[in-house]
Amino acid sequence: MPLHRFYYAQGLFSAQDKQEITDRITKNYTDLNLPAFYVIVVFIEVPEDSIFIGGKPATNFVRVVSQHLSRTMDSYEGKQAILDFLEAAFAPYVKDRGLDWEIHVEEHERELWRTQGINPPLPNTDAEKLWAKENKAIPFQ
Amino acid sequence: MPLHRFYYAQGLFSAQDKQEITDRITKNYTDLNLPAFYVIVVFIEVPEDSIFIGGKPATNFVRVVSQHLSRTMDSYEGKQAILDFLEAAFAPYVKDRGLDWEIHVEEHERELWRTQGINPPLPNTDAEKLWAKENKAIPFQ
Amino acid sequence: MPLHRFYYAQGLFSAQDKQEITDRITKNYTDLNLPAFYVIVVFIEVPEDSIFIGGKPATNFVRVVSQHLSRTMDSYEGKQAILDFLEAAFAPYVKDRGLDWEIHVEEHERELWRTQGINPPLPNTDAEKLWAKENKAIPFQ
């Protein structure tokens, strides 16, 4: 459900960094009782001459694009909470290392979403709880 | 119009797989009388240490992000039909090979869309039919 | 704020082309008094066998996906003005070289957007003017 794409110049993150960032992001969602397998993280590394901020090569910058499908946030406070938890997840690898960053979250329509060919269950239903417990998509009524 | 991005770990698809997946997706749209050149497919392959599902390296997983501009689906049934036809297009290369997958479709605004510098014609107009027949963008009134 | 992703087959643009395209895009926004550092451009180059248009390898084609967060365009005319200025920015490197292209602009929600951990100021506020003048994110009330 949440799809997180990180865009940055090659070399900013090691394989271990990527694993740890992902672990921290994933935990955010499992702490909310979402199935772990909903959380997809993709690191899209480009050459230093292929990413720019303000007209300059962005050698010190990470751009995050996050997409949510399972949950939407109606209130300003809810939206900030999402941003807070995502920024906290990657802060040790970005802010704390002196990198610059920018993030936005998009909310897309759950009726146009499927995993393993199944429209995922609504939030907090028994089916979603089972998916979280078993950590896989299971057909349901 | 439809832009389909496939994210996955390097090596899951051969060049021939990519061509065949694309052929099958494209046919879905031309069968609906859309111009073939509307259909863009991009395969974004990343190293195995750069894509994760549920906190684990996603070595067996394909994440599809599709964007529609020319048509929007208002009903639940119409939305499922789109997902059905897209999943059927890549099933022989994904589901039938035992890969996991997830897809969502986004609908974006056609007034903020241009191909070859032209705002494309409305659905089922004579201009769209001509674009489909000639398979190129042609200025129209 | 504006995030521009260019998808195309490897080799279509040189490092200098990428810098110049970026310069021209960035100037569009700074001419509107937006902070330069809002403008992110990412060139995502894929092998020739990984991008298709109309079922054929897209060796001569550029697909641009632009995302706006700071400003939205309510009128048809405003939307066309955005497309005009973006297409003009890359025309010398695309249209004038005989490449094909397609672009769409998405408008996403500013309350789900942060740069350097800060929700950016509203359009044309004193804070935004300061961000533009200093070309960096500065905490504000």
Side-chain angles (χ1 to χ4, degrees):
Chain A
M1 171 282 274
L3 170 64
H4 304 282
R5 280 172 280 188
F6 284 70
Y7 296 91
Y8 56 91
Q10 280 165 358
L12 287 187
F13 297 130
S14 70
Q16 187 176 338
D17 291 339
K18 289 183 252 187
Q19 178 70 61
E20 292 176 9
I21 292 169
T22 298
D23 287 344
R24 294 168 61 95
I25 290 175
T26 305
K27 185 171 186 302
N28 277 337
Y29 293 95
T30 54
D31 281 351
L32 295 173
N33 301 314
L34 283 164
F37 78 94
Y38 276 16
V39 186
I40 313 299
V41 185
V42 187
F43 295 90
I44 297 174
E45 302 175 344
V46 298
E48 286 205 355
D49 70 0
S50 294
I51 181 166
F52 296 87
I53 176 169
K56 298 188 167 38
T59 52
N60 197 45
F61 173 73
V62 181
R63 183 62 167 88
V64 185
V65 177
S66 296
Q67 298 190 306
H68 277 192
L69 290 147
S70 173
R71 301 287 193 275
T72 58
M73 291 292 142
D74 293 328
S75 69
Y76 178 80
E77 290 70 25
K79 290 168 188 170
Q80 302 318 306
I82 292 293
L83 290 163
D84 285 343
F85 96 21
L86 289 172
E87 291 190 310
F90 58 74
Y93 309 86
V94 177
K95 182 182 183 184
D96 296 353
R97 292 184 183 175
L99 301 182
D100 295 323
W101 77 97
E102 184 181 7
I103 183 171
H104 80 270
V105 180
E106 304 167 13
E107 295 180 331
H108 292 292
E109 203 180 342
R110 63 177 301 130
E111 293 191 346
L112 281 166
W113 167 45
R114 283 192 192 159
T115 184
Q116 301 294 100
I118 304 173
N119 295 107
L122 290 169
N124 307 315
T125 53
D126 287 345
E128 191 188 66
K129 287 170 193 167
L130 183 62
W131 283 36
K133 180 165 173 278
E134 300 292 334
N135 196 26
K136 66 179 182 182
I138 299 166
F140 65 98
Q141 300 286 334
Chain B
M1 167 283 270
L3 170 65
H4 304 282
R5 281 172 279 189
F6 284 69
Y7 296 90
Y8 56 92
Q10 280 165 0
L12 286 188
F13 297 131
S14 69
Q16 187 177 338
D17 291 339
K18 290 183 249 186
Q19 178 70 61
E20 291 177 9
I21 291 169
T22 299
D23 288 345
R24 294 168 61 96
I25 290 176
T26 306
K27 185 170 187 303
N28 277 337
Y29 293 95
T30 55
D31 282 351
L32 295 173
N33 301 313
L34 283 163
F37 78 94
Y38 276 15
V39 186
I40 313 300
V41 185
V42 187
F43 295 90
I44 297 175
E45 302 174 343
V46 298
E48 286 205 355
D49 70 0
S50 294
I51 181 165
F52 296 86
I53 176 169
K56 298 189 168 36
T59 52
N60 196 46
F61 173 74
V62 180
R63 184 61 167 89
V64 185
V65 177
S66 297
Q67 298 190 306
H68 277 193
L69 291 147
S70 173
R71 301 287 192 277
T72 57
M73 291 293 142
D74 294 327
S75 68
Y76 179 79
E77 290 71 25
K79 290 168 187 169
Q80 302 318 307
I82 292 292
L83 290 164
D84 285 342
F85 94 22
L86 289 172
E87 291 190 311
F90 58 74
Y93 309 87
V94 177
K95 183 182 181 185
D96 296 354
R97 291 183 183 177
L99 302 181
D100 294 323
W101 76 98
E102 184 181 6
I103 183 172
H104 80 270
V105 180
E106 303 168 12
E107 296 180 331
H108 292 294
E109 204 181 340
R110 61 177 303 130
E111 292 191 346
L112 281 166
W113 168 45
R114 283 190 192 161
T115 183
Q116 301 294 100
I118 305 173
N119 295 106
L122 291 169
N124 308 314
T125 54
D126 287 346
E128 190 187 67
K129 287 171 193 165
L130 184 63
W131 284 35
K133 180 165 173 278
E134 301 292 335
N135 195 24
K136 65 178 183 183
I138 298 167
F140 65 98
Q141 300 284 337
Chain C
M1 167 289 268
L3 170 64
H4 304 282
R5 281 172 279 188
F6 285 69
Y7 296 90
Y8 56 92
Q10 279 166 359
L12 286 187
F13 297 131
S14 69
Q16 188 177 336
D17 291 338
K18 289 183 252 188
Q19 178 69 62
E20 291 177 10
I21 291 169
T22 298
D23 288 345
R24 293 167 61 95
I25 289 176
T26 305
K27 185 171 186 303
N28 278 338
Y29 293 95
T30 54
D31 282 351
L32 296 173
N33 301 314
L34 283 163
F37 78 94
Y38 276 15
V39 186
I40 313 300
V41 185
V42 187
F43 295 91
I44 297 175
E45 303 175 343
V46 297
E48 286 205 355
D49 69 1
S50 293
I51 181 166
F52 296 86
I53 175 169
K56 297 188 169 36
T59 53
N60 196 46
F61 173 74
V62 181
R63 184 61 168 89
V64 185
V65 177
S66 296
Q67 298 189 306
H68 277 193
L69 290 147
S70 173
R71 302 287 193 275
T72 57
M73 290 293 143
D74 294 327
S75 69
Y76 178 79
E77 289 71 25
K79 289 168 188 169
Q80 301 318 306
I82 292 292
L83 290 164
D84 285 344
F85 96 21
L86 289 172
E87 291 189 312
F90 58 74
Y93 309 87
V94 177
K95 182 182 182 183
D96 297 353
R97 292 183 182 176
L99 301 182
D100 295 323
W101 76 98
E102 183 180 7
I103 184 173
H104 80 270
V105 180
E106 303 167 12
E107 296 180 332
H108 293 292
E109 203 180 342
R110 63 176 302 131
E111 292 191 347
L112 280 167
W113 167 44
R114 284 191 192 159
T115 182
Q116 301 295 97
I118 304 173
N119 295 107
L122 290 170
N124 307 314
T125 53
D126 286 346
E128 190 189 66
K129 287 171 192 165
L130 183 64
W131 284 34
K133 179 164 173 279
E134 300 292 335
N135 196 25
K136 66 178 182 182
I138 299 166
F140 65 98
Q141 302 284 334

